[in-house]
Amino acid sequence: MNFKALTATIALIAAAPVVALAGGADDDTLVLNGEVEMTTKAAAPAHMADTYVDEIISGWHFRADETQALQMDDFENQGMIFVDDGLATWETVEGSEGKSCASCHESPDSMKGVAATYPKWNEDAGELRTVQMQMNDCRVNRMGAAPWKYDAKVAINVEAMIASQSRGMPVDVQIDGPVKAAWEQGKELYYTRTGILELSCASCHEENYGNYIRADHLSQGQINGFPTYRLKNAKLNGVHSRFKGCVRDTRAETYSPGSEEFIALELYVKSRGNGLSVEGPSVRN
Amino acid sequence: MASGVRPRVKAPKSAAAGDVVTLKTLISHPMESGQRKDSNGNTIPRSIINRFTCEFNGTTIIDVTMEPAISTNPYFEFEATIPEAGDLQFTWYDDDGSVYEETKSVAMA
């Protein structure tokens, strides 16, 4: 072994602990309330064969132990406060028809599986719908109430309540058939560089997950845990608001929450998590 | 009154006499510090929960004075010795005079 090779070996050994500290995913296990074990790592779905990613990893693995612990117990998960608020809204009668969500759907249990399969094609309307769009369709057409603004607090709370019913179920959104075009559009957006910084979603969340971005760890940008309670703003955050924040951070003009572009992107990003457990409401920093 | 205030308490339903149990409380509250300004530059008035108490059968377990720097949705975790069966009484006092209460009964195991 010559000197150069020896140096290289030392460098490699020295580098190993640094890699462990560099913000990569840990090997902890997410067990909810000591009962439900969640799938937080899985083989990448088939449509990701041409990407750098062969294992999909929940954002939970990229957080500190303290933050992870908050999500493991429903009492300590502050997102559950908003789930309670969402539950109250579920039972509140609104609009000209004198109905609440519960009038038709009865128990929130009936929403089990919804968060795992949306965004989803709605055959009658002939469009791709997110959970919030479906909620507003109910409000306008069945309840005779005003629609909620996209990602409004009340809408996010109900969405979180609906998501919480599916926790532990694998994300399984359809990507072909009538949604194929939207999915392709979402994929296009995912890989399109935007803004002064010329960053695409993939620049950070595919090519650099596990590395630091300033003081924070880059995750894979999975959305199986949305709506997400963020410690930084002490409230639930919607997927589209998060997208908006990311696009803004590339210093670009953003699309609006609820826009066709973000609906397509939501479908595509969600499909990258096909196989991970639904975690919403998750806790992140 | 601050809207959407809901106290949540996690306490064991039963305990043996003399057991030390862990109590967890969380109350949803904006805890507006009184230091912040709104978009027009006007000070947002202080609105916090300023006191939290927990009693067991009338005996004080904990009595906390809370200050404006305490974060949104304050969470307290503490321990108490349970000498006998009885009720845990949790009380939060809001700046605006509202009082939020929650009671949890503990039976003897």
Side-chain angles (χ1 to χ4, degrees), chain A residues 73-74 76 78 84-85, chain B residues 6 8 10 24 28 73:
Chain A
D73 184 309
D74 275 359
E76 292 180 26
Q78 299 206 23
D84 283 350
D85 288 348
Chain B
R6 188 180 292 114
R8 291 147 57 98
K10 192 175 188 180
K24 296 176 179 181
S28 49
N73 307 332

Side-chain angles (χ1 to χ4, degrees), chain A residues 183-238:
Chain A
W183 185 81
E184 292 288 355
Q185 185 192 2
K187 185 173 182 179
E188 180 74 25
L189 284 164
Y190 192 88
Y191 288 100
T192 303
R193 289 171 181 268
T194 60
I196 297 170
L197 299 183
E198 289 191 67
L199 293 169
S200 70
C201 306
S203 307
C204 291
H205 297 292
E206 180 171 307
E207 294 161 28
N208 279 297
Y209 71 86
N211 290 333
Y212 273 98
I213 183 165
R214 303 207 326 192
D216 200 6
H217 302 172
L218 278 172
S219 73
Q220 287 188 348
Q222 295 287 356
I223 58 171
N224 59 314
F226 275 82
T228 288
Y229 180 84
R230 295 192 71 189
L231 301 173
K232 72 175 271 187
N233 58 12
K235 70 181 182 80
L236 286 177
N237 297 265

Side-chain angles (χ1 to χ4, degrees), chain A residues 33 73-78 80-82 84-85 88 229 234, chain B residues 4 6 8-10 24-28 72-73 75-77:
Chain A
N33 300 320
D73 184 309
D74 275 359
F75 190 83
E76 292 180 26
N77 181 344
Q78 299 206 23
M80 295 308 284
I81 295 175
F82 301 95
D84 283 350
D85 288 348
Y229 180 84
Chain B
R6 188 180 292 114
R8 291 147 57 98
V9 172
K10 192 175 188 180
K24 296 176 179 181
T25 74
L26 177 65
I27 187 161
S28 49
T72 305
N73 307 332
Y75 170 84
F76 286 104
E77 178 176 333

Side-chain angles (χ1 to χ4, degrees), chain B residues 34-95:
Chain B
Q35 304 283 340
R36 301 198 306 163
K37 303 231 182 342
D38 65 16
S39 50
N40 296 321
N42 303 315
T43 302
I44 306 170
R46 174 182 134 156
S47 170
I48 67 165
I49 294 172
N50 55 45
R51 184 178 173 215
F52 164 64
T53 64
C54 175
E55 292 178 354
F56 183 74
N57 288 348
T59 309
T60 300
I61 294 172
I62 195 169
D63 190 338
V64 185
T65 304
M66 294 166 71
E67 303 289 352
I70 293 175
S71 71
T72 305
N73 307 332
Y75 170 84
F76 286 104
E77 178 176 333
F78 50 95
E79 292 181 337
T81 308
I82 303 293
E84 63 205 15
D87 291 336
L88 286 159
Q89 174 76 37
F90 303 85
T91 317
W92 292 260
Y93 299 87
D94 198 308
D95 270 352

Side-chain angles (χ1 to χ4, degrees), chain A residues 82-83 86-87 90 108 111 156-165:
Chain A
F82 301 95
V83 168
L87 208 52
W90 176 266
M111 293 291 114
I156 295 275
N157 291 352
V158 176
E159 189 181 359
M161 192 280 290
I162 289 171
S164 72
Q165 306 298 325

Side-chain angles (χ1 to χ4, degrees), chain A residues 4 12 61 95 100 142 149 162 175 179 198 218 227 258 260 277 280-281:
Chain A
K4 201 169 177 184
L12 208 64
H61 280 292
S100 68
R142 293 209 220 177
K149 190 168 169 284
I162 289 171
I175 62 169
V179 301
E198 289 191 67
L218 278 172
E260 187 199 335
S277 293

Side-chain angles (χ1 to χ4, degrees), chain A residues 60 65-78 229 231 283:
Chain A
W60 184 81
D65 287 348
E66 296 83 353
T67 312
Q68 289 182 333
L70 291 173
Q71 197 186 318
M72 293 172 79
D73 184 309
D74 275 359
F75 190 83
E76 292 180 26
N77 181 344
Q78 299 206 23
Y229 180 84
L231 301 173
V283 182

